[in-house]
Amino acid sequence: MIRGTVMIIGGRDLIVSLPGAEELGSRISNLLRCEHVTPYTKVFPDGESYLRLKGDFEGKEVTLLSTMYPEQNRRLIELVFASKTLVARGASKVRGVVTYLAYARQDKEFLPGEVVSARIVIDMLKYAGIGELYVVDVHKPEILNGFGGPSRNILMVETFASFLRSRGVDNPLIVAPDLGASHRAEALAKEIGGECVIIRKFRDRVTGEIRHELPEGFHIDGRTAVVIDDIISTGGTMASIVSFLKRSGARRVYALASHGVFVGKAVERLISGGADEVAVLDTLSRRVEGVTYLDISHELSKHLNSC
């Protein structure tokens, strides 16, 4: 757990935690010593969502905390509803803090007519009146450029580094599954003091089989490897890399990710592939057995104080 001094948000500020983010919001409000509000919510028999925000928001700066998994569609509409309502009730600023941004992986049109969901979601949040947007490890940070206002992609490297130190990990090899994940691996390597490497992936054109390689000059015999990505979904990619690293001589392999979606038998796939431990941030409300969840409240609180 990240420790250290946490400054106090000004007396006019408060945190509103939407469904799924209540526990995290409570921890953050305790650290920042500010008011914490949770809306009354229910689902009508036809599936539509109802929210009611009680309290005086006139002239106040509100941090609106949300996570969008599970139930992505409902969580997204709740965030839009809540922000529009806060603005209508006189909030001077709504700061959106989204620990998991749904629909972020479709960031471009690969086939004609495909919906670019990441861009549309960002537009929805702008429309909702969110003035500042802070997201925990979004899949493609570039999508925040379309927000138009202050925004930040937050990498929780202090939290990951603290976890690894608690396990006695020293001078690890931090592994990025691909080039797109290199910024995350490089940041963690800098924080904990280790080497960073990007795995090379090759697909056999005949069989379709995927094989991995380490860049020339990297040796892993007897070392601890840490594979880090933004999301573990089915676990297939991560498991294949973990297995490759173990076959290459790694003594221990940790499988880390910011967001643990864990579809189907993802955790079992990782463990059978050779992962010594699977650890993710507590950015989602869902919990899966066999996974270590890392508390982000301390590091996220520090980021909110620097906004």
Side-chain angles (χ1 to χ4, degrees), residues 117-280:
S117 57
R119 188 184 306 155
I120 294 171
V121 167
I122 294 297
D123 287 343
M124 290 174 69
L125 300 185
K126 285 193 295 184
Y127 160 79
I130 291 176
E132 299 177 3
L133 180 61
Y134 302 93
V135 183
V136 175
D137 200 359
V138 67
H139 185 65
K140 288 291 182 68
E142 296 80 9
I143 70 171
L144 296 180
N145 295 335
F147 180 66
S151 62
R152 183 183 301 177
N153 180 48
I154 302 174
L155 299 178
M156 295 288 177
V157 292
E158 290 183 29
T159 300
F160 282 124
S162 179
F163 161 72
L164 292 172
R165 292 188 188 104
S166 75
R167 297 300 192 262
V169 174
D170 181 51
N171 189 31
L173 185 64
I174 308 297
V175 180
D178 52 45
L179 184 60
S182 61
H183 67 288
R184 186 179 304 103
E186 289 167 355
L188 179 56
K190 182 178 180 181
E191 178 69 27
I192 197 169
E195 289 183 278
C196 177
V197 62
I198 303 170
I199 286 285
R200 295 174 177 174
K201 182 171 68 174
F202 302 91
R203 185 185 298 273
D204 189 297
R205 293 184 178 180
V206 177
T207 66
E209 183 180 351
I210 294 175
R211 62 184 177 86
H212 302 286
E213 287 184 2
L214 288 167
E216 187 175 350
F218 276 90
H219 302 287
I220 198 170
D221 287 349
R223 295 186 65 181
T224 295
V226 177
V227 189
I228 184 166
D229 208 351
D230 61 329
I231 301 171
I232 297 177
S233 183
T234 64
T237 298
M238 181 78 77
S240 65
I241 293 173
V242 168
S243 179
F244 163 72
L245 293 170
K246 275 294 181 76
R247 293 195 309 271
S248 300
R251 182 174 63 87
R252 294 181 65 81
V253 179
Y254 290 88
L256 307 185
S258 295
H259 314 293
V261 175
F262 299 124
V263 176
K265 296 184 177 180
V267 177
E268 291 90 333
R269 189 173 291 118
L270 291 165
I271 299 301
S272 63
D276 292 280
E277 189 168 2
V278 180
V280 299

Side-chain angles (χ1 to χ4, degrees), residues 47 49 56 60 75 98 108 131 142 174 190 231 257 283 300:
S49 296
D56 178 18
K60 294 183 179 179
R75 298 305 177 229
V98 183
K108 62 179 65 175
E142 296 80 9
I174 308 297
K190 182 178 180 181
I231 301 171
T283 58
L300 186 53

